[in-house]
Amino acid sequence: LKSLAQKSFGKGFLKLVTTQGKVLSDPDKSLQAAGLQDEDHLTAIVQEGKLAATSQAFALWCCGGDRIVTWSRSDGSSDFSGGDSSQIQARLKAVQEVKATDRAFAAILA
């Protein structure tokens, strides 16, 4: 549903919220498992993407989100200059801010 809403509104960062204020944050959960029923309404809230950069990498996230997208130039060595966050994605919940140094990122969580 979230992917469909993103395409419909032409916005990549959306938060879906029920009329009871519950945020639908698990994309793998069905609507029924999330507690939605026929005739329920959802609100799509557009979120502004934020960017942090090191000298050779960048990180993109939304405040309160559960995911950070990082990218860096890799020259084949083990030095990624902060661009590989794949091993910690599961720990990135409720990201409030991302700070960058010359070669690393730090996520500030709620």
Side-chain angles (χ1 to χ4, degrees):
L1 180 63
K2 187 172 183 176
S3 295
L4 181 60
Q6 288 171 327
K7 289 179 186 175
S8 295
F9 293 117
K11 301 291 182 182
F13 297 106
L14 293 178
K15 182 188 303 186
L16 298 178
V17 183
T18 67
T19 54
Q20 293 79 25
K22 180 180 176 184
V23 177
L24 303 182
S25 58
D26 187 350
D28 297 325
K29 198 182 256 189
S30 71
L31 295 177
Q32 291 78 15
L36 291 173
Q37 300 175 0
D38 287 343
E39 304 297 323
D40 280 352
H41 296 270
L42 291 175
T43 300
I45 300 171
V46 176
Q47 297 180 289
E48 181 181 342
K50 308 248 184 213
L51 183 71
T54 69
S55 61
Q56 297 182 24
F58 70 83
L60 181 65
W61 83 98
C62 286
C63 186
D66 294 337
R67 186 169 157 220
I68 297 175
V69 177
T70 55
W71 175 90
S72 71
R73 179 181 58 84
S74 175
D75 58 8
S77 70
S78 61
D79 179 15
F80 287 100
S81 300
D84 184 4
S85 60
S86 60
Q87 293 183 9
I88 62 163
Q89 281 296 325
R91 295 173 29 203
L92 298 173
K93 302 294 181 200
V95 176
Q96 298 301 301
E97 192 171 352
V98 174
K99 294 289 189 177
T101 66
D102 185 49
R103 301 176 64 82
F105 296 110
I108 299 167
L109 309 178

